[in-house]
Amino acid sequence: MTWQKELEELRQREQLAEQMGGEEKVSRQHARGKMDARARLAALCDEGSFREIGKIAGKGSYDAEGNLEGVLPAPFLFGKATVHGRPVVATADDFTIRGGAADAGIKRKMVQAERMAHELKLPIIRMIDGTGGGGSVKTLEQIGATYIPAVPGWSDVVTNLDTVPVVALALGPTAGLGAARIVASHYSIMVRGLSQIFAAGPAVVDGLGASYKSADDHQQAKEDLGGSDIHTRNGVVDDEVASEAEAFVRARHFLSFMPEYAGQPARRAECTDPVDRREEELLNLVPRDPKQVYSMRRGMDMLFDQGTVFEIGKNWGRAAITALARLDGWPVMVVASDPSFLGGSWEAKTSEKVERFVKLADQFRLPIVHLVDNPGFMIGREAEMAGTIRYGVQAMNAIYKATVPLASIVMRRAYGIAGSAMSNADRHQYRYCWPSGDWGSLPIAGGLEVAYKSEIAAADDPAAELEKIKARLDKVTSPFRSAELFNVEDIIDPRDTRPLLCEFADLAWRKLETDS
């Protein structure tokens, strides 16, 4: 007596699961330019590494004798896989089955995927394509009652945010719970033109009588309501890419910088870039004209290990650049001023962005490198209406609360409260300043005529008196005067920045590995 009959049924059920929503719906998915869920899992994970869990779960149909006729698989797939040889939990919504709606599935599958991640300390990757929520209005008639909404297992989603790296890829229209699952992540991606995110889709918005007017073209209506142009510029989602393949590459790249769980040290990569590399072009990076901008990204490419700068959130909070990078192979989090946007002044969104990424660095124990050229928090009526000072102080608080080592390079300006937010003055400040440094409680140009108003007014030649005062103050505001009083630790040749940052990275990781 063997179990051959049962094994044959198992193979039959597995084959039915692999058909997903059926040939017609899978073909429709492909015709939209979208990969199906199983193809996505194969493309994201290391080749052959995905081991599915709960493959045959779904809704079976049986004949009068109780024999299996067919199975509608659950529209959520998950399993254990590897990315760069390291274990992860990989999940994918199946849009070919009821548009990925959870009411067609088994809630316990999604709960188990999330629980597996934090209990086994594995990063989790969500590929989201559909609502993933409670279903349609029709569902209520089938149930025969309504209910107060609850999300099974959301506590596991919250726990994962505290314990393991969470990556979310929006790979189609996502609404409701699907949108929430994207936002509840450490790194999120949208595919331009393919994915949209909204609390509710165009038809629901119009049906509720809101002011939104949907386009005649339904696809355009979705783009207008929740396309990547909107959400990668308001900070809901970190990045947009041109294709699913690019999304998979970026997701894998992000995870290469991360530990597998909070508390585990991230891994050092092999480095062939000389630690003592000194870039001559750094001497000309910061212009002498204080009003002239320059490319901070160009400077970053010269300072960090070549080819390792991985920028995150490029299109929102644009006065600060946030990125992952490596120094002598060690992973670090980078916050850098961008003088080409608002002169580098932090407005509300920039402060929100900095706060988020400093907290991310602290959570996963990545040292922070801060490249500073900040003339202050944004001023003016619009800035006040946006609550800039509140968001700015929250960013400052995150920097002061961070327990990971932080090195700051003051390349040009550091003014006002924002200037004091560049590092924690109550700790040892691992800080270097360039000769182009310019700092103070407020820019000289902004306060000079007020401070010397009476002297200028009393002068025979007010314009000449103003120039004399400026010349005197130029001497006082020399960065070397600050160094005399040890108000700054060291002024360095810009070409020495990379070697010194690599030294910092080695010392920082020595401390972090001792702490772990």
Side-chain angles (χ1 to χ4, degrees):
M1 175 71 90
T2 69
W3 296 94
Q4 187 61 37
K5 180 180 178 182
E6 285 78 8
L7 290 175
E8 288 174 358
E9 182 176 346
L10 174 61
R11 300 292 174 256
Q12 179 189 8
R13 288 178 178 272
E14 289 175 338
Q15 289 170 5
L16 289 169
E18 289 170 4
Q19 294 174 10
M20 295 173 281
E23 185 177 346
E24 181 183 342
K25 290 186 177 178
V26 172
S27 295
R28 194 182 305 162
Q29 173 92 342
H30 295 165
R32 294 189 179 111
K34 298 165 63 177
M35 298 173 69
D36 60 71
R38 294 188 175 278
R40 286 168 173 165
L41 287 162
L44 172 74
C45 305
D46 293 346
E47 186 175 357
S49 71
F50 179 70
R51 179 182 63 78
E52 189 170 354
I53 297 172
K55 182 173 183 176
I56 65 173
K59 184 177 181 181
S61 55
Y62 300 87
D63 63 20
E65 285 75 39
N67 297 312
L68 181 69
E69 289 186 327
V71 174
L72 180 67
F76 176 80
L77 289 71
F78 86 101
K80 182 265 177 185
T82 61
V83 170
H84 298 303
R86 301 165 68 185
V88 301
V89 177
T91 79
D93 295 347
D94 187 352
F95 192 80
T96 69
I97 301 170
R98 286 290 303 278
D103 67 331
I106 297 172
K107 294 174 183 176
R108 189 171 179 272
K109 282 192 78 174
M110 191 176 295
V111 172
Q112 285 293 296
E114 297 288 336
R115 196 163 292 166
M116 179 182 180
H118 65 77
E119 289 193 4
L120 297 180
K121 295 185 175 181
L122 303 173
I124 184 167
I125 308 167
R126 307 186 191 116
M127 292 186 280
I128 302 171
D129 186 3
T131 63
S136 66
V137 174
K138 274 188 176 180
T139 308
L140 302 179
E141 188 173 15
Q142 294 165 4
I143 297 172
T146 189
Y147 50 85
I148 296 175
V151 180
W154 191 258
S155 59
D156 294 296
V157 172
V158 174
T159 301
N160 281 333
L161 285 173
D162 291 336
T163 53
V164 297
V166 180
V167 178
L169 284 63
L171 301 177
T174 57
L177 179 57
R181 290 168 61 216
I182 292 166
V183 175
S185 64
H186 299 113
Y187 181 56
S188 54
I189 307 172
M190 294 181 74
V191 180
R192 187 175 183 83
L194 192 72
S195 53
Q196 301 85 31
I197 297 173
F198 16 65
V204 176
V205 173
D206 282 347
L208 291 174
S211 59
Y212 172 77
K213 292 287 187 182
S214 62
D216 293 335
D217 180 346
H218 185 58
Q219 179 63 26
Q220 187 59 48
K222 290 187 292 185
E223 278 293 307
D224 291 346
L225 183 62
S228 61
D229 277 347
I230 295 171
H231 291 309
T232 57
R233 287 154 180 80
N234 63 16
V236 166
V237 169
D238 293 309
D239 289 325
E240 63 181 352
V241 294
S243 67
E244 291 188 60
E246 188 180 350
F248 303 149
V249 169
R250 288 192 67 86
R252 290 171 61 89
H253 198 173
F254 174 82
L255 288 174
S256 72
F257 288 96
M258 292 286 120
E260 289 158 32
Y261 55 89
Q264 180 197 58
R267 298 185 185 183
R268 186 181 190 181
E270 183 180 354
C271 179
T272 58
D273 191 0
V275 167
D276 59 357
R277 175 167 55 82
R278 300 174 82 249
E279 293 283 354
E280 292 295 322
E281 289 185 36
L282 288 172
L283 288 175
N284 303 315
L285 182 67
V286 178
R288 282 196 170 274
D289 182 349
K291 295 181 180 179
Q292 190 175 338
V293 301
Y294 59 94
S295 173
M296 180 62 78
R297 290 179 177 86
R298 179 167 157 260
M300 291 167 63
D301 287 339
M302 289 188 276
L303 294 174
F304 296 97
D305 293 355
Q306 290 181 343
T308 67
V309 176
F310 180 73
E311 186 173 354
I312 295 172
K314 185 175 183 177
N315 292 328
W316 74 287
R318 290 169 52 199
I321 300 165
T322 49
L324 291 159
R326 292 188 183 272
L327 287 165
D328 193 18
W330 294 113
V332 296
M333 179 69 80
V334 184
V335 177
S337 304
D338 188 353
S340 69
F341 184 80
L342 301 178
S345 297
W346 286 9
E347 28 62 272
K349 278 296 180 186
T350 293
S351 298
E352 180 185 349
K353 177 178 170 179
V354 170
E355 178 192 12
R356 180 183 171 200
F357 282 91
V358 168
K359 287 180 175 179
L360 181 68
D362 203 42
Q363 178 180 352
F364 290 108
R365 315 305 293 155
L366 298 176
I368 301 168
V369 174
H370 198 167
L371 305 178
V372 179
D373 184 356
N374 188 335
F377 292 134
M378 195 66 186
I379 60 175
R381 179 172 168 76
E382 286 188 15
E384 300 301 341
M385 291 181 69
T388 297
I389 190 64
R390 173 173 291 280
Y391 289 100
V393 169
Q394 287 174 184
M396 184 177 181
N397 291 349
I399 289 171
Y400 268 69
K401 285 181 178 180
T403 58
V404 293
L406 182 150
S408 57
I409 308 294
V410 183
M411 299 166 66
R412 189 161 64 175
R413 297 161 300 182
Y415 275 104
I417 297 297
S420 70
M422 300 299 103
S423 59
N424 184 343
D426 293 333
R427 295 177 59 188
H428 167 68
Q429 288 190 285
Y430 208 105
R431 179 170 61 184
Y432 296 102
C433 302
W434 285 11
S436 46
D438 177 19
W439 41 69
S441 58
L442 77 167
I444 297 298
L448 189 151
E449 293 187 43
V450 174
Y452 292 90
K453 182 179 180 180
S454 58
E455 290 94 325
I456 294 170
D460 293 335
D461 187 343
E465 183 66 17
L466 178 61
E467 290 306 312
K468 283 173 60 179
I469 295 170
K470 285 181 178 178
R472 293 202 315 265
L473 288 173
D474 280 345
K475 301 288 186 182
V476 175
T477 58
S478 163
F480 298 108
R481 294 285 187 99
S482 299
E484 282 179 15
L485 300 176
F486 199 59
N487 287 334
V488 298
E489 293 73 25
D490 285 296
I491 297 173
I492 63 169
D493 183 328
R495 293 169 295 186
D496 292 332
T497 307
R498 172 173 166 77
L500 289 168
L501 282 178
C502 287
E503 177 189 276
F504 161 76
D506 288 337
L507 291 174
W509 274 102
R510 176 178 175 274
K511 177 187 184 301
L512 291 171
E513 289 182 331
T514 303
D515 291 346
S516 63

